[in-house]
Amino acid sequence: MHDVESVVIRFAGDSGDGMQVTGTQFTTTSFMVGNDLSTLPDFPAEIRAPQGTLAGVSGFQLQFSSQPVHTPGDRPDVLVCMNPAALKVNMKDLPPGAIIIANSDEFSDGNLRKAGFAGNPLEDGALEGFQLFRVDVTRLTRQALFETELSNREKDRCKNFYALGLLYWLYNRPLDATVAWIGEKFGKKPEIAEANVTALHAGYHYGETTEAFAATYRVAPATIASGTYRNVTGNTATALGLVTASQLSGLSIFYGSYPITPASDILHDLSRYKNYGVVTFQAEDEIAGICSAIGASYGGSLGVTATSGPGLALKSEAMGMAVSMELPLIVIDVMRAGPSTGLPTKPEQADLLMVLFGRHGECPMPVLAPGTPSECFDIAILAARLAVRYMTPMVILSDAFLANSSEPWRVPAAADLPPIEVEFRTDPEGFGAYRRDPETLARPWVKPGTPELMHRVGGLEKDAVTGNVSYDPANHEIMVHTRAEKIARIADALPPLVVDGEREGDLLILGWGSTTGAISKAVATLREEGLRVSGTHLISLAPFQKDLGALLAGFRRVLIPELNTGHLRFLLRATYGLEATGLNKIQGRPLRVDEIADAARALLVEN
């Protein structure tokens, strides 16, 4: 048995091969034995692409370690491929010496042709330089289930658990948690549950008894702070953050949304919390989703809606109405690769300029961006806190990487979370619907039906005090500037930037959103090499955190990695006159640590 610090595994197969289940179960088990980890599910957009084709390949990558983990890993140490297409799609990502465990039964002439192989890579030397293990997973699964009454098709659905059992043996993982999950999942079909458990054990015992594998590997538990932990995806953490915001504020959450990949799981998760005052509404379209949320905020609840890029375009007019009405509202954009339908299951950060400028008129909105799956919880609470304090709609920019990836999250103590102060105006003395708080410029929040506080709502411009409809040109200009100043003042309530390293040096690597983990790891690597490199990520993109300008001035060069053509770089040039260098990737895939580190080294060599 060899002790190793960390391992990156990628499970890959046809979209019907259960790779997401396999990866999730390996993740859960690794989490329960105490490893730090990060995951990256990767699945096709088609509900069921033609079997055995490149378009139908589904994958799940995770990194588990005895040390802190920032990313799902750059390149897999182990590739489990259930068919030729899975090998074809993923072999370009493998480093020399990587382990390939291939289901050799599926490497038939027909499947090889579908995958675009001229010959059989398991036999023609195409995989020299890798550690290749040919395992007849399909045949061995059927053999293990020989005495059951299941059809071959039903037996084949268990082969993912056979492969999982083999990986559990190879990396000294216990089977108990997966056995319990199978029993719960298939409790109403005991014959299916028994077959999957049998396949799991058979794969494990195959590893024990075969002489094909020279060694097994052990990854020790990570040293982490004491506390209660659970494994969360970004979407789950967002939902939990919204529920917590409801409890901290005493407001009910109304979530009006239309299902869209990759935001739909927020709706699914929130629907489980009706007993916490959460109301979920699956609307008939995107416009109905946001308008119902605006109506809920008008009524005294905290309205929330979520979507992805195409849905955000449909919501834009209603977002403008929320700006005009100055009501607390949270709009979540779980970004995906576009334009149009684009790559709907892949990550991208290309909606930043749209959420800032994609509405008609002068229509500013604050924009927050979580950097990790667990930070989605904190950002959801912060968005709620700012929305009710400043009486403004807020945007949260997540993306497909954060939404679907998972990591261990330390559950905070309720006592450590400060309450969200909410005040509804009830006193008619001196009331004006747009008479503002002198510090925040927030207008009063009045529930409909409050005696003597009737006022107008809607999209027409309002008088700067009374809230009556006003066509006065000077009043319109006052309202435009006042709304902009209110958003600018939100910077006073934002925390300072957290910087990895010193606040001055040769190079600052600056990012936002899901590039955060890769930047953190790249900065740590570069600093170990003795380079004067620091890193930080922005949680607010409108307004910027107040210390950003001073931080930028302390570095000779700034590198901005983004999954777009340079949106943040464009904004920083406009705001600070900064000529930064961009590292831009638009492939529907996350930035790797080595890509960021290599770009940083190249910049430092130039100087």
Side-chain angles (χ1 to χ4, degrees):
M1 183 185 300
H2 297 300
D3 288 311
V4 293
E5 183 178 286
S6 65
V7 178
V8 180
I9 297 178
R10 184 180 298 176
F11 298 94
D14 193 76
S15 57
D17 283 339
M19 294 296 94
Q20 302 304 317
V21 170
T22 305
T24 299
Q25 287 304 306
F26 198 100
T27 298
T28 300
T29 295
S30 298
F31 171 72
M32 294 182 70
V33 301
N35 296 134
D36 198 7
L37 56 86
S38 178
T39 72
L40 177 61
D42 183 24
F43 39 86
E46 292 80 2
I47 294 175
R48 186 64 189 268
Q51 192 169 5
T53 62
L54 302 181
V57 173
S58 177
F60 190 106
Q61 180 168 307
L62 76 150
Q63 179 175 195
F64 59 104
S65 177
S66 60
Q67 301 297 319
V69 170
H70 299 282
T71 74
D74 283 357
R75 301 183 184 278
D77 304 303
V78 183
L79 173 64
V80 178
C81 53
M82 302 297 283
N83 63 12
L87 177 63
K88 183 78 169 183
V89 167
N90 293 287
M91 62 187 298
K92 62 182 179 297
D93 294 333
L94 297 175
I99 294 173
I100 299 175
I101 299 175
N103 178 15
S104 52
D105 286 327
E106 298 300 316
F107 281 70
S108 64
D109 291 342
N111 284 342
L112 289 167
R113 283 194 297 271
K114 289 180 185 178
F117 283 113
N120 189 339
L122 306 185
E123 300 173 351
D124 62 12
L127 301 179
E128 288 184 8
F130 302 114
Q131 301 178 63
L132 174 63
F133 297 95
R134 301 174 49 163
V135 182
D136 300 332
V137 175
T138 304
R139 179 182 64 81
L140 291 170
T141 303
R142 291 182 180 180
Q143 182 177 309
L145 303 177
F146 177 75
E147 296 183 358
T148 70
E149 296 183 0
L150 300 179
S151 66
N152 280 342
R153 184 176 181 181
E154 291 171 319
K155 293 174 184 177
D156 289 349
R157 289 176 179 166
C158 302
K159 63 188 179 184
N160 61 322
F161 283 103
Y162 189 99
L164 180 60
L166 174 57
L167 268 293
Y168 278 166
W169 171 81
L170 190 60
Y171 288 98
N172 288 275
R173 313 273 98 175
L175 279 62
D176 303 14
T178 299
V179 171
W181 180 86
I182 291 172
E184 182 178 346
K185 176 71 174 178
F186 301 103
K188 296 182 179 179
K189 298 180 179 180
E191 69 284 0
I192 299 297
E194 182 180 354
N196 281 317
V197 171
T198 298
L200 181 73
H201 282 98
Y204 189 94
H205 293 313
Y206 174 84
E208 275 188 323
T209 56
T210 185
E211 298 182 357
F213 296 89
T216 61
Y217 304 89
R218 179 174 57 194
V219 179
T223 301
I224 58 176
S226 61
T228 301
Y229 286 80
R230 62 170 290 178
N231 201 41
V232 291
T233 64
N235 277 349
T236 297
T238 298
L240 291 172
L242 292 171
V243 175
T244 303
S246 172
Q247 297 298 300
L248 294 174
S249 64
L251 297 171
S252 63
I253 294 288
F254 177 92
Y255 185 86
S257 187
Y258 181 74
I260 184 172
T261 300
S264 299
D265 283 341
I266 302 175
L267 172 62
H268 302 158
D269 285 342
L270 282 174
S271 67
R272 303 187 180 104
Y273 293 98
K274 294 181 175 64
N275 55 321
Y276 285 92
V278 175
V279 176
T280 54
F281 168 54
Q282 181 171 316
E284 64 268 30
D285 56 40
E286 296 283 5
I287 299 172
I290 187 171
C291 287
S292 64
I294 293 172
S297 292
Y298 173 65
S301 297
L302 181 57
V304 186
T305 188
T307 187
S308 189
L312 195 73
L314 294 169
K315 294 180 188 291
S316 63
E317 184 179 3
M319 291 168 71
M321 183 172 69
V323 169
S324 176
M325 294 171 67
E326 299 190 45
L327 286 170
L329 175 75
I330 298 175
V331 180
I332 303 167
D333 177 10
V334 187
M335 295 177 290
R336 68 192 203 188
S340 188
T341 308
L343 304 174
T345 60
K346 310 299 182 184
E348 200 166 270
Q349 296 179 299
D351 292 356
L352 175 53
L353 297 184
M354 178 170 72
V355 299
L356 291 176
F357 308 123
R359 294 172 296 281
H360 65 279
E362 299 288 348
C363 193
M365 287 180 65
V367 179
L368 303 179
T372 65
S374 58
E375 195 175 43
C376 291
F377 174 85
D378 303 309
I379 292 298
I381 295 174
L382 179 59
R385 191 180 304 279
L386 296 175
V388 298
R389 181 179 178 185
Y390 289 85
M391 287 294 287
T392 180
M394 306 283 300
V395 174
I396 297 177
L397 275 183
S398 181
D399 68 29
F401 178 98
L402 296 177
N404 297 317
S405 296
S406 65
E407 64 180 2
W409 170 59
R410 186 183 182 189
V411 180
D416 294 336
L417 299 174
I420 297 175
E421 302 294 338
V422 178
E423 181 181 350
F424 290 102
R425 178 70 182 248
T426 58
D427 183 6
E429 182 69 27
F431 171 70
Y434 284 82
R435 193 184 300 277
R436 301 177 182 276
D437 179 275
E439 178 185 355
T440 64
L441 297 183
R443 80 173 186 90
W445 196 2
V446 180
K447 288 185 180 181
T450 304
E452 300 183 59
L453 296 185
M454 184 185 301
H455 61 283
R456 291 181 179 273
V457 295
L460 289 172
E461 187 62 279
K462 309 298 190 302
D463 180 80
V465 176
T466 67
N468 294 330
V469 174
S470 173
Y471 293 99
D472 179 66
N475 177 80
H476 175 56
E477 185 163 346
I478 288 171
M479 290 295 277
V480 166
H481 287 305
T482 301
R483 287 189 289 259
E485 175 61 21
K486 180 174 71 168
I487 302 308
R489 290 191 185 188
I490 288 177
D492 296 332
L494 295 173
L497 292 163
V498 177
V499 181
D500 294 334
E502 292 76 29
R503 287 184 169 258
E504 59 181 23
D506 293 328
L507 178 66
L508 175 68
I509 306 180
L510 173 66
W512 63 279
S514 62
T515 61
T516 297
I519 289 174
S520 296
K521 181 61 177 177
V523 168
T525 299
L526 294 164
R527 289 178 63 82
E528 288 173 2
E529 297 172 8
L531 300 174
R532 297 180 68 225
V533 176
S534 298
T536 192
H537 81 281
L538 304 177
I539 65 166
S540 180
L541 298 159
F544 289 129
Q545 287 148 278
K546 294 182 73 173
D547 55 341
L548 178 58
L551 181 67
L552 295 173
F555 292 87
R556 292 194 301 114
R557 300 293 296 270
V558 176
L559 175 66
I560 303 178
E562 290 185 271
L563 300 180
N564 56 42
T565 56
H567 293 197
L568 178 58
R569 184 159 44 99
F570 170 84
L571 293 172
L572 294 179
R573 183 187 298 120
T575 305
Y576 300 104
L578 176 72
E579 292 299 332
T581 299
L583 173 60
N584 303 105
K585 183 175 181 178
I586 318 155
Q587 302 175 9
R589 307 182 73 181
L591 276 160
R592 301 196 310 267
V593 175
D594 62 355
E595 291 173 326
I596 297 173
D598 287 346
R601 293 187 191 100
L603 269 181
L604 292 170
V605 167
E606 290 178 10
N607 291 271

